[in-house]
Amino acid sequence: GAGVSQSPSNKVTEKGKDVELRCDPISGHTALYWYRQSLGQGLEFLIYFQGNSAPDKSGLPSDRFSAERTGGSVSTLTIQRTQQEDSAVYLCASGTGTIDTQYFGPGTRLTVL
Amino acid sequence: GQNIDQPTEMTATEGAIVQINCTYQTSGFNGLFWYQQHAGEAPTFLSYNVLDGLEEKGRFSSFLSRSKGYSYLLLKELQMKDSASYLCAVRNAGKSTFGDGTTLTVKP
């Protein structure tokens, strides 16, 4: 596709359930980034991938959060046993390298009831 | 770690010039980026600086002083559509630390 896509666009779940968020980066982009943004706040770094490797996982808030990337393309962010404080917009971005412009997807709005 | 500070809100008049400042303390630095984010939308790239000095891109310019830990985004000939949040971000390898954003309101 022409840009970064994310699915689903909206996700409402119950506390304690697991959720999986998907990101399709721009074709050919080797770097992929996950952020989350709470209402009225800046972006909080979660994790980034260079190819299929994640050199920096320091932003993951807890061990309930995990992410993987396969084939140097699609990435999934999994949140286990969701909590209400996980409610936010989860944004994915991709780029051609780790020091480059990031192109953001439209985000997934997660609401945990 | 990284700490990014920028004003929470600014107001300016259509046709005017506005400067949005960003200060940072960092343990690593590979560049400073500015993004624009309209309400309910994803951020879009505006400008970035790796070396000291001014980078100009049409109506938008960005300045960096690494020794002072300081950057600004300059918007000229403001238009109503420039009303948005402006995010300053410091890159350290693959990790970006964002400020909380400056909400700019452009009035007629």
Side-chain angles (χ1 to χ4, degrees):
Chain A
V4 179
S5 60
Q6 294 185 244
S7 60
S9 55
N10 278 285
K11 176 71 176 180
V12 180
T13 190
E14 295 180 346
K15 179 181 173 180
K17 301 283 189 182
D18 297 351
V19 296
E20 192 172 277
L21 312 180
R22 176 186 169 108
C23 172
D24 283 87
I26 293 172
S27 178
H29 280 190
T30 57
L32 186 147
Y33 311 83
W34 283 100
Y35 299 90
R36 72 176 176 182
Q37 187 173 33
S38 300
L39 189 63
Q41 301 295 312
L43 275 68
E44 176 189 1
F45 169 83
L46 298 178
I47 189 171
Y48 86 92
F49 290 90
Q50 183 59 41
N52 293 332
S53 300
D56 190 339
K57 301 180 181 180
S58 62
L60 293 176
S62 74
D63 58 8
R64 297 186 295 105
F65 287 72
S66 62
E68 64 174 17
R69 189 181 187 195
T70 55
S73 181
V74 172
S75 176
T76 54
L77 177 69
T78 301
I79 309 173
Q80 295 178 311
R81 305 180 303 281
T82 51
Q83 304 293 313
Q84 288 183 332
E85 59 263 29
D86 299 335
S87 295
V89 175
Y90 289 80
L91 289 161
C92 174
S94 71
T96 55
T98 53
I99 309 295
D100 68 334
T101 301
Q102 297 180 27
Y103 297 88
F104 284 84
T108 293
R109 181 175 297 278
L110 175 66
T111 303
V112 182
L113 302 177
Chain B
Q2 316 270 44
N3 187 44
I4 316 289
D5 289 309
Q6 48 181 135
T8 304
E9 296 180 337
M10 297 185 71
T11 302
T13 304
E14 190 176 15
I17 299 173
V18 70
Q19 177 175 312
I20 303 174
N21 295 324
C22 171
T23 58
Y24 63 91
Q25 294 87 43
T26 177
S27 59
F29 181 89
N30 291 120
L32 189 141
F33 289 71
W34 285 95
Y35 292 85
Q36 180 190 61
Q37 186 176 29
H38 285 99
E41 298 181 10
T44 56
F45 169 77
L46 287 178
S47 183
Y48 84 99
N49 298 72
V50 176
L51 302 176
D52 291 353
L54 188 68
E55 292 286 339
E56 298 189 76
K57 274 192 164 189
R59 294 191 299 117
F60 298 90
S61 303
S62 59
F63 171 84
L64 175 67
S65 169
R66 289 171 295 170
S67 62
K68 295 182 179 178
Y70 168 69
S71 174
Y72 67 72
L73 180 70
L74 194 70
L75 292 78
K76 303 175 186 176
E77 301 168 15
L78 282 173
Q79 302 175 10
M80 299 298 291
K81 67 179 182 180
D82 296 330
S83 292
S85 181
Y86 291 84
L87 307 174
C88 168
V90 172
R91 294 288 293 273
N92 179 14
K95 181 175 180 178
S96 290
T97 302
F98 282 77
D100 286 341
T102 298
T103 299
L104 174 66
T105 302
V106 180
K107 295 186 174 179

